[in-house]
Amino acid sequence: MKRFFKPIEKDGSAKKPALSAKQEDADNGGNKKEPLKFVTWNANSLLLRVKNNWPEFSKFVSALDPDVIAIQEVRMPAAGSKGTPKNPGELKDDTSSSREEKQILLRALSSPPFGSYRIWWSLADSKYAGTALLVKKCVQPIKVSFSLDRTASKHEPDGRVILAEFETFRLLNTYAPNNGWKEEENSFQRRRKWDKRMLEFIVQLSDKPLIWCGDLNVSHEEIDVSHPEFFSAAKQNGYVPPNKEDCGQPGFTLNERKRFGSILREGKLIDAYRFLHKEKDMEHGFSWSGHPIGKYRGKRMRIDYFLVSEKFKDRIVSCEMHGQGIELQGFYGSDHCPVSLELSPASSDSKES
């Protein structure tokens, strides 16, 4: 059986017989423009979405026709047997169950409309975290990397980063670690370290405009949550952090929000959604929604973003959240809904790089 599951090439996609560059250009209309339409989505297990929600999500993608789809929380393990180094750029297929899961996933990603995209993976060792990037074959990036350390070729732990460089800009897809509730090694400190590294990384990328998207796990302002008082006072098991600015719902603590603001300012980034939507929208204005049953029913946050360099401000055509309501309409089985961004084409006399 194993011979039917050949190792996936670096892009992680199911491969057809190799085509020459000219053949591939012809297949895609020879259209080598820069991408202008983007979607980001925390799928909360891509395999589960394929099994349970794929027809609806496929219709959404077909209708919107994005050039780039950035996915977070893939939750598929990286290739590699137990006790051996893992390959985070490939899906695990060394057991019968992992081969079956891989086949299910790749079959879905080779069917319309996804067959017109090339795929890159950045995966954790287990069914945890992970990101994926789908880019139309007619708008391929110059380079794709997977680390906040620009000198390193390895992937970020847990597969949290994919960076694609195009001719005139870079696209960064990230899945930020959750802040957590307590002052512990794997909680507040991990998020502080991530935010510090992100700030340094964004500032270093200033040679080209940036589009940064993904589940950034922070709601910047009170307008970005449905119930500010609820989230500000939220606790877990009665624990109160010693610093009052660490209190509250992860993603809505004052410290996280301040650090996020610093990244926006120092990185000269525009929050594309808030740039276009100044008022609070209780129906369509949030990308994450709590479970419809329990105390989080109706409690929502905007934690999925498109942030763009100030140079792109005048090119923002639309930025929309595609889910709505307490019952998670348009979430396609996840607790996050897709968010889209559309840019206008660069004017012929402008130089953005």
Side-chain angles (χ1 to χ4, degrees), residues 164-233:
E165 181 173 353
F166 295 91
E167 197 69 41
T168 61
F169 67 89
R170 293 186 179 92
L171 176 83
L172 177 63
N173 172 22
T174 66
Y175 175 41
N178 187 281
N179 185 66
W181 295 92
K182 297 185 178 183
E183 178 68 77
E184 295 173 343
E185 183 178 354
N186 293 325
S187 187
F188 292 175
Q189 294 178 33
R190 179 178 71 159
R191 182 54 188 258
R192 289 187 191 117
K193 183 178 179 181
W194 169 270
D195 288 342
K196 181 176 183 291
R197 293 180 67 212
M198 283 304 312
L199 174 58
E200 294 169 350
F201 184 70
I202 298 298
V203 171
Q204 288 172 5
L205 291 180
S206 59
D207 60 313
K208 269 188 180 181
L210 178 69
I211 299 172
W212 177 18
C213 67
D215 176 359
L216 307 190
N217 257 320
V218 60
S219 294
H220 187 206
E221 305 287 356
E222 288 196 355
I223 192 176
D224 297 315
V225 297
S226 61
H227 298 75
E229 299 82 6
F230 172 87
F231 287 117
S232 294

Side-chain angles (χ1 to χ4, degrees), residues 27 31 60-61 66 74-75 79 93 102 115 120-121 132 138 173 187 190 195 228 241 268 292 294 303 326:
D27 272 3
N31 188 8
F60 165 76
V61 171
V74 171
R75 290 195 188 177
D93 67 352
K102 175 179 173 180
W120 286 264
W121 304 100
C138 60
N173 172 22
S187 187
R190 179 178 71 159
D195 288 342
K268 295 181 171 59
I303 58 178
I326 296 172

Side-chain angles (χ1 to χ4, degrees), residues 228-249:
E229 299 82 6
F230 172 87
F231 287 117
S232 294
K235 299 176 184 177
Q236 187 181 61
N237 300 325
Y239 177 80
V240 178
N243 184 340
K244 66 179 182 180
E245 294 194 344
D246 287 325
C247 293
Q249 176 75 30

Side-chain angles (χ1 to χ4, degrees), residues 98-303:
S98 64
R99 284 194 294 273
E100 181 182 358
E101 291 177 348
K102 175 179 173 180
Q103 185 183 42
I104 291 169
L105 191 56
L106 293 186
R107 186 182 295 124
L109 291 171
S110 63
S111 62
F114 302 98
S116 60
Y117 295 82
R118 185 179 176 187
I119 308 167
W120 286 264
W121 304 100
S122 189
L123 306 170
D125 291 353
S126 60
K127 288 188 175 182
Y128 172 72
T131 52
L133 189 70
L134 287 72
V135 182
K136 275 192 175 177
K137 293 172 184 175
C138 60
V139 287
Q140 286 300 286
I142 300 167
K143 179 183 178 183
V144 178
S145 53
F146 306 90
S147 175
L148 296 180
D149 181 353
R150 297 187 69 187
T151 64
S153 59
K154 63 182 181 180
H155 290 236
E156 202 67 29
D158 301 330
R160 292 186 180 274
V161 170
I162 302 180
L163 178 68
E165 181 173 353
F166 295 91
E167 197 69 41
T168 61
F169 67 89
R170 293 186 179 92
L171 176 83
L172 177 63
N173 172 22
T174 66
Y175 175 41
N178 187 281
N179 185 66
W181 295 92
K182 297 185 178 183
E183 178 68 77
E184 295 173 343
E185 183 178 354
N186 293 325
S187 187
F188 292 175
Q189 294 178 33
R190 179 178 71 159
R191 182 54 188 258
R192 289 187 191 117
K193 183 178 179 181
W194 169 270
D195 288 342
K196 181 176 183 291
R197 293 180 67 212
M198 283 304 312
L199 174 58
E200 294 169 350
F201 184 70
I202 298 298
V203 171
Q204 288 172 5
L205 291 180
S206 59
D207 60 313
K208 269 188 180 181
L210 178 69
I211 299 172
W212 177 18
C213 67
D215 176 359
L216 307 190
N217 257 320
V218 60
S219 294
H220 187 206
E221 305 287 356
E222 288 196 355
I223 192 176
D224 297 315
V225 297
S226 61
H227 298 75
E229 299 82 6
F230 172 87
F231 287 117
S232 294
K235 299 176 184 177
Q236 187 181 61
N237 300 325
Y239 177 80
V240 178
N243 184 340
K244 66 179 182 180
E245 294 194 344
D246 287 325
C247 293
Q249 176 75 30
F252 195 61
T253 66
L254 285 174
N255 271 331
E256 291 173 275
R257 293 162 58 194
K258 286 180 179 179
R259 292 195 301 266
F260 187 65
S262 295
I263 294 173
L264 294 181
R265 286 192 305 274
E266 296 187 41
K268 295 181 171 59
L269 296 172
I270 300 292
D271 178 347
Y273 178 82
R274 191 56 67 209
F275 177 72
L276 297 177
H277 305 268
K278 307 298 186 186
E279 304 298 324
K280 190 166 188 171
D281 184 343
M282 287 295 290
E283 188 66 13
H284 300 90
F286 309 104
S287 63
W288 174 89
S289 186
H291 198 281
I293 299 173
K295 69 177 183 178
Y296 277 88
R297 174 177 172 80
K299 309 300 192 297
R300 289 165 285 174
M301 307 175 75
R302 187 171 73 95
I303 58 178

